[in-house]
Amino acid sequence: MYNVRDNVQASLGHFRMENYWFRYSNFVPRLFNWCVELGFEPGKIMPSRAFCSDESQGYPVILLAKHFGIFPFNHGQVGGIMACDRHGPHAHHGKDLVIVHSSHVGYDPEAMTFGSYRRIQTANHRCSSNCGKIHATLEWYLREYEFACQNIFVDMRADHCRLTLDNQYLSRSRERSLVLHLEKMVEHQHDGEMLPIAMQSTSRTFMATDAFFSTCAGFSTKALASSRLAMPCCRNISPTTPACGKTPTGRANWSKT
């Protein structure tokens, strides 16, 4: 039986899934073989899926049943949220336990975009958001992200760059907003204050940090070479992590200064 006291990271080794695509038909048998390699006993493994209730999730459920030899337990709620209060019943149903937790995003091969799914049971086979709950959750973040992409600008110079930030991102009274990593983006004084080098009616301009300038230098060279004109600082206001470069749709606008 798999020892829960084992070092999980040591078992994983250098295994990574980032930037790799697995068909479910390849992923599930690999998952089963890996469980056996870890010490799980075939025929005593109780899988569970934490998927959304969406009808598009039938195929992975069938594959789990095929390779693990039992129909999987259900940890899933709408939106792919895991029902943690089901751990107890799940544990009561098997010796070795596996939970596969994932959301579903959908893909439109004609538009080559993620997020939609063709509902073939509808009258017109229309496409809709593959997971309405995830779409509704992300909508606010994407709208804020797009606004930030159009209201934060980088002015690239030979040996430095300047950042123009909309006043909304400098106000501490905003109740809801994307939060900028200003300590990584803007030069601070010894007392921690940020002194603008220019003030406009709706924005302020600051000197950017050396690290920020180095990060953006490569982007500016490529963009100017391709004759694009305006550079909003986009990846620095990502909903998750800061950096500098493209919008969620891949656009990058640049401007000469």
Side-chain angles (χ1 to χ4, degrees):
M1 180 179 179
Y2 178 64
N3 185 354
V4 295
R5 297 183 181 276
D6 283 351
N7 186 326
V8 176
Q9 190 60 46
S11 299
L12 289 173
H14 296 291
F15 177 78
R16 294 290 183 273
M17 289 188 64
E18 293 91 346
N19 301 320
Y20 289 93
W21 289 39
F22 283 90
R23 289 182 177 271
Y24 259 110
S25 57
N26 291 330
F27 169 71
V28 177
R30 290 185 180 193
L31 173 65
F32 176 78
N33 291 336
W34 185 49
C35 290
V36 172
E37 184 179 332
L38 290 174
F40 286 42
E41 183 179 348
K44 300 294 183 182
I45 305 173
M46 186 65 214
S48 179
R49 86 277 191 181
F51 301 152
C52 182
S53 304
D54 195 272
E55 75 274 8
S56 65
Q57 300 306 286
Y59 181 61
V61 172
I62 292 172
L63 287 174
L64 287 171
K66 172 185 176 182
H67 290 280
F68 284 88
I70 186 68
F71 193 83
F73 195 82
N74 186 10
H75 267 84
Q77 297 178 326
V78 173
I81 298 173
M82 182 180 293
C84 296
D85 58 346
R86 301 177 190 175
H87 289 337
H90 179 218
H92 186 65
H93 291 185
K95 178 184 177 184
D96 298 324
L97 309 174
V98 177
I99 301 177
V100 180
H101 181 208
S102 65
S103 59
H104 56 295
V105 295
Y107 183 71
D108 184 346
E110 296 180 0
M112 301 180 66
T113 57
F114 289 95
S116 63
Y117 182 77
R118 186 173 298 281
R119 308 290 178 182
I120 60 175
Q121 274 73 29
T122 59
N124 300 317
H125 294 182
R126 66 182 180 87
C127 286
S128 65
S129 58
N130 197 24
C131 184
K133 186 175 182 65
I134 291 179
H135 176 79
T137 300
L138 292 177
E139 184 179 16
W140 179 86
Y141 293 93
L142 295 174
R143 187 169 60 249
E144 288 290 314
Y145 183 93
E146 186 66 25
F147 176 83
C149 287
Q150 301 303 323
N151 290 277
I152 300 177
F153 293 87
V154 178
D155 180 357
M156 295 296 296
R157 304 298 176 95
D159 57 353
H160 69 278
C161 67
R162 302 175 182 182
L163 276 171
T164 299
L165 308 177
D166 189 279
N167 287 336
Q168 295 186 57
Y169 295 106
L170 303 173
S171 172
R172 297 183 180 181
S173 62
R174 292 194 73 187
E175 295 183 359
R176 298 182 64 198
S177 172
L178 297 183
V179 178
L180 304 182
H181 288 258
L182 293 174
E183 67 279 2
K184 297 181 179 180
M185 300 168 61
V186 176
E187 286 286 358
H188 287 64
Q189 302 298 311
H190 294 296
D191 58 1
E193 290 294 322
M194 300 187 306
L195 295 181
I197 57 177
M199 298 180 65
Q200 296 74 234
S201 60
T202 61
S203 62
R204 298 184 184 186
T205 302
F206 302 89
M207 290 293 296
T209 62
D210 292 338
F212 184 89
F213 169 70
S214 299
T215 301
C216 291
F219 288 106
S220 64
T221 301
K222 295 177 182 178
L224 291 175
S226 63
S227 300
R228 292 187 177 181
L229 299 178
M231 180 190 160
C233 171
C234 302
R235 286 174 52 196
N236 268 290
I237 41 70
S238 165
T240 52
T241 55
C244 167
K246 295 181 180 178
T247 67
T249 56
R251 298 192 304 274
N253 299 320
W254 296 78
S255 65
K256 291 183 179 179
T257 55

